[in-house]
Amino acid sequence: MTEPVTIFYLEMLSADQVCGKESSSSQAVLTECADKNFAINRFFYQYVGESWQWHDKLSWRESQWRDYAHRDELKLFMLTWHGTPAGYFELEKHTDGSVEIVYFGLANAYTDKGLGGFLLTQALQQAWAWQATRVWVHTCSLDHPYALKNYQSRGMTLYKTEVE
């Protein structure tokens, strides 16, 4: 029997709510991937998601990835650590002006470097810089054990919980 999965929905209603965390090293560098290239989105989805059971898009064809990643409503940011890809996040702007953190995470080899709070701070700041009316995300009980705590520590509040 499969154990139930709890989905947590969190939001932030003002940029003033961001409880930022700085990087512990100048070797953590965030870069916006402004040149749309679906292969980069696909790479990070697989690279980061393999540890967290991200399977939904693994069977996507190249055209599906291109349609998804090459939209103006989607932004991709990557985190490098000592020049090596370590994590990423994707932001999606919705028609109501809200910005969703669609994907967020670190590759398994980088989860013990104290980068999660820094990366989430960057995601929130970039979302608000995109003139968000609200920033939101959902995570689940299959995610990293500190994921929910990280979202809440950065100032996001839980507004809905579901069990599947």
Side-chain angles (χ1 to χ4, degrees), residues 89-151:
F89 60 86
E90 290 179 358
L91 302 177
E92 183 173 5
K93 191 159 201 178
H94 294 276
T95 56
D96 64 358
S98 69
V99 174
E100 178 184 2
I101 302 171
V102 184
Y103 288 101
F104 171 89
L106 296 166
N108 196 39
Y110 299 92
T111 58
D112 63 347
K113 310 256 185 247
L115 297 170
F118 168 71
L119 186 59
L120 184 54
T121 297
Q122 297 302 306
L124 292 166
Q125 290 174 344
Q126 291 296 329
W128 288 114
W130 203 6
Q131 286 88 42
T133 57
R134 167 181 170 253
V135 179
W136 63 283
V137 67
H138 70 273
T139 187
C140 73
S141 54
L142 298 175
D143 205 347
H144 189 280
Y146 295 122
L148 182 60
K149 181 180 179 187
N150 188 24
Y151 290 120

Side-chain angles (χ1 to χ4, degrees), residues 61-73:
R61 297 181 313 276
E62 187 174 298
S63 61
Q64 290 173 290
W65 275 106
R66 185 176 289 106
D67 290 347
Y68 169 77
H70 292 200
R71 298 173 297 130
D72 290 338
E73 300 83 18

Side-chain angles (χ1 to χ4, degrees), residues 21-32 77-89 106 110 113-122:
K21 184 172 182 186
E22 295 298 317
S23 171
S24 59
S25 168
S26 63
Q27 293 300 316
V29 177
L30 184 76
T31 305
E32 180 177 359
F77 294 81
M78 73 172 166
L79 177 70
T80 57
W81 176 255
H82 293 269
T84 303
Y88 85 122
F89 60 86
L106 296 166
Y110 299 92
K113 310 256 185 247
L115 297 170
F118 168 71
L119 186 59
L120 184 54
T121 297
Q122 297 302 306

